[in-house]
Amino acid sequence: MTGLDDRLAIQEVIAQYAYTYDAGDADGFAALFTEDAVWEMLASGATRPDVRLESRAAIREWAAHRLRERAGRFTSCHHQSGVVFDELTADAARTRTMVLVTHQGAGDAAPHPTDSAVYHDRWRRTPAGWRLTHRTVRRDGGSPG
């Protein structure tokens, strides 16, 4: 792969993160992470995470639980943009991605913004392709997406 191919492959996984979660696919969502991955969320200005998950299995269970809780009540869309590559080597990468989360309730005429954040990601090339090894969600404010 060339550097451009790697960038495109990582951006594809970033897109799949939103599409799998928003479609309610906890298995597909978790498959984007390495087995030893960490996913954590920090509130605006916090130095310690409100949520910290350590393993693909824990990430899958957390996502499945959250998706079950909201089923039939509302849908979400994670609008991601501004992907920046802070590091890219043959086997590892670091990126940042902006996200705006919208929710639309069953009776809502239109979606409304509920959260914004920056994803700080670490990546590893695996036999299955690029996978997230660590995602830190640094929230700007609002309620969890």
Side-chain angles (χ1 to χ4, degrees):
M1 278 188 143
T2 66
L4 181 57
D5 290 337
D6 289 326
R7 287 173 187 264
L8 290 171
I10 288 169
Q11 288 184 12
E12 175 70 19
V13 176
I14 291 169
Q16 289 299 327
Y17 180 93
Y19 279 102
T20 56
Y21 189 85
D22 294 337
D25 179 4
D27 292 330
F29 178 77
L32 304 172
F33 293 85
T34 60
E35 289 290 340
D36 61 346
V38 172
W39 186 99
E40 59 187 1
M41 181 185 304
L42 283 80
S44 178
T47 57
R48 295 191 176 181
D50 298 323
V51 178
R52 183 175 170 88
L53 309 167
E54 298 181 13
S55 78
R56 178 188 288 165
I59 293 166
R60 190 227 166 270
E61 184 53 37
W62 174 85
H65 176 77
R66 286 181 56 101
L67 292 166
R68 276 191 309 272
E69 281 186 334
R70 70 187 208 177
R73 296 186 316 124
F74 68 90
T75 58
S76 66
C77 283
H78 287 68
H79 306 272
Q80 300 173 110
S81 65
V83 177
V84 173
F85 283 78
D86 293 316
E87 178 186 341
L88 179 59
T89 68
D91 297 314
R94 284 186 309 111
T95 61
R96 288 175 287 147
T97 305
M98 292 182 194
V99 63
L100 174 67
V101 181
T102 61
H103 287 175
Q104 186 166 0
D108 293 344
H112 57 278
T114 60
D115 206 355
S116 64
V118 176
Y119 295 146
H120 296 258
D121 297 330
R122 285 185 256 163
W123 299 86
R124 181 184 315 139
R125 183 192 307 273
T126 73
W130 286 97
R131 294 294 180 262
L132 287 155
T133 63
H134 194 129
R135 171 161 274 189
T136 301
V137 181
R138 295 192 179 274
R139 295 180 51 225
D140 299 324
S143 61

